[in-house]
Amino acid sequence: MNNTNSSRFKDKAFRVFGLSAIIFCMLTLVIFIGFIIYQGAGRLSWDFMTSLPSRFAERSGIYTAWIGTLWVLVLTTLISFPLGVGAGIYLEEYGNKGKLSKLLEINIANLAGVPSIIYGLLGLQVFVRMMKMGNSILAGALTLALLILPIIIVSTREALRAVPSSIKEASVALGASKWQTIWKQTLPASFGGILTGVILAISRAVGETAPLIVIGALAYVPFVPESPFDEFTVLPIQIFNWVSRPQHEFAINAAAAIIVLLFITFLMNGIAVYLRNRWQQKINW
Amino acid sequence: MEEVSSGTTGPKATKMKTEPKLSSDNETYKLRARNIDVFYGDFQAIYDISLDILDHSITAFIGPSGCGKSTFLRLFNRMNDYIDSFRMNGRILLEEEDIYASSVKVEELRKKIGMVFQKPNPFPKSIYENVAYGLRIQGIKDEDFIEQRVVESLKQATLYDEIKDDLDKQALTLSGGQQQRLCIARTLAVKPSVLLMDEPTSALDPISTAKIEELIFELKKKYTIVIVTHNMQQAGRISDNTAFLYMGKLIEYGDTQKIFTNPEKDRTQNYITGRFG
């Protein structure tokens, strides 16, 4: 009797704890977003999106920043997608599962946890200085691609692993080569998962600030980049710059820019969720 | 070790070679296994098994779980090749050709020796595309040819009449028994001469099982069939020859009637009568 009462109490206590944890998280998020929108929504306008940065807060815009972000997003995707997915496919499907592969697996997982500023320093030395790319978009995109590669590799491997081996066996038993099996069975079946991982990784890259500051993305770029070798800035750096100014008007600008950045991130996460659901519906084991 | 019934192992059982029922003509052997040892790392899964499989016959491998019968079956289309720790001694001949020779292309081999698995495993595609898959990967583009082969294979697998209006339907919507017959049709479409079946009915209900057994019996006319089964009655019902494996060793191999009514080894007798396993 006592025992039952005690476990009932624990049950209830945990429920209350879990519920308050969720409320705390959601509330923080809602307050934060609400505050940002309250501050910045009024500043959002077509002019704000298409104006170059300026000394005067009310004339300042995020044109260079969001174009820069778009450049970085596209280039980072182009670099990291084939590399990460390729490496993931190799490790999961081709590489033999010996000690070396275990070591590699642990190291890749570790790389995913390395602070982003370290990647910035690596990018500064390798891409900016040694390869003489300067403070270009390309150097920034390469740095960010390195940063998210481990995430893409890990999520690719997980997605591939989720494909039942019975499907692969059926394919090779019919005379398919390994590559045919990967291309016609494993990849289509796991593509939703792979894409989800890639999009989430890229949406993380879009929000990164520290490594780009290290490689010298400028906060004040009075022109729109036209090639991967141009100097650039991105939204997070623009926000960081505005927030650090004393004038209140710049804080409002920052809030408005945050709304744009959040919108991009949410949009990408939304696409990831959509793709995941879509592919899951299609394939029901 | 389980108890061997006391002292009845006559001298005749110790020296007697167990031979399958066959004509003396060598030509009728489809597959030959010669002195096969299989290792997974340090573990030996198969001990020195030699066995010949007759053309156009059904050969059943029986034995308790873990006796090596599936491992042995999968040697014939080299499905064990993907296991990193897998190692093998001995030779396996398909019509006198060593299938493990370096000159053999494993993809070509698997077109000749098809396999049906324990759990129905259709691809997450339409019924039609499931059967067409083996042809498409060969690079065949002629859609008329493919369609003709798909229909022919589905008919052979006695599935066509049930699904002829639903060829574009997702294969995973079929029932378990239909899925398994689809998997057989998919294998037949590649025109193999040998069918390996790894407990093809163990995931199915009795009615579906009966249908598959009927089908297997029918297929015997055109194919050499090797079937692994847990189900003793099944082996007795459909097979011509039966091999009893125990702990990686071939205990007895011969005519199914004889194995089931008058086995030479006590261990076979004990297993068949359900005293162990």
Side-chain angles (χ1 to χ4, degrees), chain B residues 161-201:
Chain B
D161 291 339
E162 291 163 51
I163 49 96
K164 58 173 179 275
D165 300 324
D166 302 316
L167 289 180
D168 292 327
K169 233 169 98 181
Q170 169 64 253
L172 294 162
T173 59
L174 296 176
S175 75
Q178 288 176 323
Q179 286 189 15
Q180 194 62 304
R181 276 180 285 149
L182 176 66
C183 291
I184 293 173
R186 177 175 74 182
T187 308
L188 297 179
V190 191
K191 298 260 177 198
S193 58
V194 179
L195 284 179
L196 307 175
M197 301 188 154
D198 191 355
E199 299 186 36
T201 61

Side-chain angles (χ1 to χ4, degrees), chain A residues 95-98 166-178 180-181 184-185 189 282-285, chain B residues 74 77 79 82 84 107 110-111 113-115 117 121-125 133-134 136-137 170 172 186-187 190:
Chain A
N96 59 358
K97 307 273 180 287
S166 64
I167 293 295
K168 302 178 199 172
E169 283 193 328
S171 175
V172 293
L174 286 168
S177 68
K178 201 156 194 179
Q180 284 176 319
T181 301
K184 300 203 169 205
Q185 299 295 343
K282 216 175 133 194
I283 294 157
N284 243 322
W285 304 114
Chain B
R74 292 161 83 95
N77 67 342
M79 287 300 277
Y82 298 108
D84 283 326
E107 290 85 6
R110 292 190 185 129
K111 285 174 206 158
I113 304 188
M115 187 167 217
F117 296 85
N121 55 355
F123 301 125
K125 298 171 182 257
Y133 183 75
R136 294 207 191 280
I137 55 174
Q170 169 64 253
L172 294 162
R186 177 175 74 182
T187 308
V190 191

